[in-house]
Amino acid sequence: MHGHGAGDDLLKQVANRLKNCVRRTDTVSRLGGDEFAILLTDFDRPAFAGEVAEKIAHRLSEPFLLNEVEVNISTSVGISIFPDDGHDAGTLLLHADTAMYHAKALGRGRTQFFAQEMNQRTAERHALEQDLKAAIAKGQLSLYFQPQLETNSAEMIGAEVLLRWHHPQQGLVSPARFIPIAEESGHLMVSLGNWVLENVCKQARVWLDAGYSIPRLSVNVSAVQFRDDQFLQQLESLLHNCHLRPHILQLELTESIIMSEVEGATDRVRTLKDMGVCIAIDDFGTGYSSLSYLKDLPVDELKIDQSFVHNIQSDRDSAAIVEAVIRMGESLKLRVIAEGVENGESFAFLAQNGCEGLQGYHFSKPIPAAAFERQYLINF
Ligand code: C2E
Ligand code: MG
Ligand code: MG
């Protein structure tokens, strides 16, 4: 976001702070990218390493000055200890890396000591990744559809498309589990994302050819897929080959996608909009706090995150956030949809507060294409 020079400068400043957190006899090194390794010697209690990690996390959480701009970063630390976690440098580094990876998965700014179970989990993850690579060719993927209803008329105004993986041994694996694995490998997420887009378009064509009128189909797009160079061009040729009007398709992007590498991302959103594709912001309210992108970008829809909707009754702050998002959508002329509507009380609250659209188990779970066609599509 601030240029390569600023990136180099940040690394140097981090290195200096790291050196100040350890003793003269310890070793600080940079492994590459944004990864540093620290070798601590001569200490008698493992907790010492944890204390150093805490000190580091604290020192690095203080703002950095890059070209006179204040920047904040977060740090994840993984710790492995000789001889319990390994007898040689390679194993110790590998296990510290595994621990750091687990720290990252827990959220920003965490520290984790290596534990043998982590190897087990890493192995499971690896196995799942191998299986996922084969899933497309083996026909184990399918698309489910979840209707989105207009609050006042109860008419269907759209449907969210959700990917499902039918694993031969493990049964239905949740996308919440396999999407992060695919994203980690990058290329795999691009393949999955392309499979989803291609099959949504083909399904839409089949329904249109059979004489059905179809609602707007809303597809989730991963950051990895969105960044891919071929993304826009592939989408355009897909729509063209399936003879689809672009506005039947909506892409669900998260705030973090839009706020990442700011320049490129916003240009892509504009190009998509020029193509005629609709844009929704998914999980709205959970990402970055900057709202300025909403006035600069051609966004059509805000999807209020489930976490707020689930707590409408129990938590006044959640209710207040839901209300505020609805008001903001009104002022900015954006459609607001609440996801995760599970009961009549949430429904009533959202209707009372003028939320335009609703999606959730209270109306329907995501269902396979055939069931969706039977229950929700009207043939003319
Ligand atoms: P999301 O895009 O926020 O999708 C909404 C999730 O909430 C879906 O979970 C949906 O089944 C679930 N849901 C809907 N109504 C309710 C409700 O009333 N209560 C509760 N508790 N849950 C509800 P699902 O299908 O497991 O997907 C999880 C996440 O995986 C999605 O979150 C999305 O981020 C990701 N995902 C799913 N399909 C795709 C895909 O094709 N591509 C990408 N990149 N991500 C996908
Ligand atoms: Mg979504
Ligand atoms: Mg969501």
Side-chain angles (χ1 to χ4, degrees):
M1 280 168 74
H2 301 274
H4 283 288
D8 290 348
D9 189 18
L10 177 64
L11 287 170
K12 287 183 196 162
Q13 292 191 39
V14 167
N16 274 324
R17 288 192 196 180
L18 288 177
K19 279 200 281 184
N20 288 328
C21 290
V22 299
R23 302 159 299 183
R24 288 176 61 90
T25 48
D26 297 323
T27 308
V28 176
S29 66
R30 175 165 161 248
L31 295 179
D34 58 355
E35 290 193 351
F36 289 85
I38 294 178
L39 176 68
L40 302 176
T41 48
D42 290 321
F43 59 92
D44 39 22
R45 346 162 256 125
F48 175 75
E51 287 157 20
V52 174
E54 231 165 74
K55 191 155 111 191
I56 288 172
H58 178 71
R59 274 294 280 138
L60 297 186
S61 70
E62 288 162 13
F64 290 83
L65 211 56
L66 301 176
N67 299 329
E68 285 156 40
V69 182
E70 265 199 15
V71 173
N72 290 293
I73 60 168
S74 64
T75 314
S76 305
V77 185
I79 301 173
S80 64
I81 295 181
F82 173 88
D84 294 0
D85 303 330
H87 285 275
D88 55 87
T91 310
L92 282 168
L93 262 181
L94 181 72
H95 287 168
D97 197 49
T98 303
M100 184 194 68
Y101 178 80
H102 278 83
K104 258 190 190 170
L106 292 176
R108 289 156 164 261
R110 303 289 282 259
T111 294
Q112 282 283 295
F113 281 86
F114 175 75
Q116 212 56 47
E117 307 87 79
M118 289 178 178
N119 270 344
Q120 169 81 15
R121 269 182 280 162
T122 307
E124 275 168 23
R125 223 182 132 91
H126 184 72
L128 210 59
E129 184 184 331
Q130 296 310 313
D131 291 349
L132 188 55
K133 279 184 182 153
I136 297 182
K138 291 186 175 162
Q140 294 166 357
L141 300 177
S142 70
L143 297 177
Y144 275 41
F145 296 80
Q146 186 179 33
Q148 301 167 325
L149 308 178
E150 190 183 54
T151 311
N152 292 330
S153 63
E155 268 174 36
M156 184 169 59
I157 48 173
E160 178 167 6
V161 182
L162 295 154
L163 184 57
R164 292 291 176 264
W165 178 20
H166 310 266
H167 189 284
Q169 282 87 41
Q170 300 187 27
L172 210 60
V173 183
S174 161
R177 199 163 148 225
F178 70 80
I179 294 283
I181 294 178
E183 285 180 328
E184 183 98 341
S185 100
H187 180 70
L188 189 50
M189 188 63 238
V190 173
S191 313
L192 280 186
N194 285 340
W195 186 91
V196 170
L197 280 173
E198 191 181 323
N199 283 276
V200 170
C201 290
K202 283 185 182 159
Q203 182 64 71
R205 187 70 258 159
V206 168
W207 278 332
L208 289 169
D209 286 346
Y212 289 109
S213 115
I214 55 171
R216 183 178 49 243
L217 299 173
S218 203
V219 179
N220 294 286
V221 173
S222 148
V224 179
Q225 189 187 359
F226 190 69
R227 270 200 301 264
D228 186 62
D229 288 337
Q230 314 281 308
F231 179 66
L232 291 174
Q233 195 206 323
Q234 268 166 350
L235 184 62
E236 203 159 25
S237 54
L238 254 177
L239 290 168
H240 177 79
N241 294 342
C242 294
H243 308 287
L244 293 173
R245 287 190 299 182
H247 67 254
I248 73 132
L249 200 63
Q250 173 165 275
L251 300 183
E252 297 195 0
L253 309 175
T254 57
E255 291 166 88
S256 51
I257 294 186
I258 289 183
M259 295 305 292
S260 62
E261 30 114 47
V262 186
E263 289 305 317
T266 52
D267 284 351
R268 269 173 200 208
V269 173
R270 290 200 187 90
T271 311
L272 282 167
K273 193 64 204 165
D274 289 343
M275 275 166 63
V277 172
C278 306
I279 305 288
I281 307 296
D282 204 357
D283 307 337
F284 187 74
T286 58
Y288 285 74
S289 52
S290 164
L291 295 174
S292 58
Y293 72 88
L294 286 179
K295 72 177 173 31
D296 298 329
L297 282 181
V299 168
D300 300 280
E301 180 177 299
L302 300 180
K303 299 190 73 178
I304 308 177
D305 189 64
Q306 314 202 2
S307 57
F308 305 119
V309 177
H310 290 164
N311 295 323
I312 283 178
Q313 282 101 52
S314 59
D315 172 25
R316 287 180 54 178
D317 292 344
S318 290
I321 290 172
V322 169
E323 255 190 275
V325 175
I326 295 171
R327 293 290 90 77
M328 188 169 72
E330 269 171 13
S331 322
L332 294 171
K333 308 220 164 18
L334 301 174
R335 182 171 55 242
V336 175
I337 289 217
E339 45 174 28
V341 184
E342 290 185 348
N343 51 52
E345 290 81 50
S346 308
F347 175 18
F349 178 93
L350 290 158
Q352 248 163 34
N353 283 283
C355 185
E356 195 174 333
L358 306 168
Q359 176 186 347
Y361 296 170
H362 183 61
F363 309 100
S364 168
K365 291 203 162 179
I367 48 178
F372 182 73
E373 173 183 320
R374 225 173 21 249
Q375 293 176 36
Y376 290 97
L377 296 186
I378 302 163
N379 204 329
F380 287 102

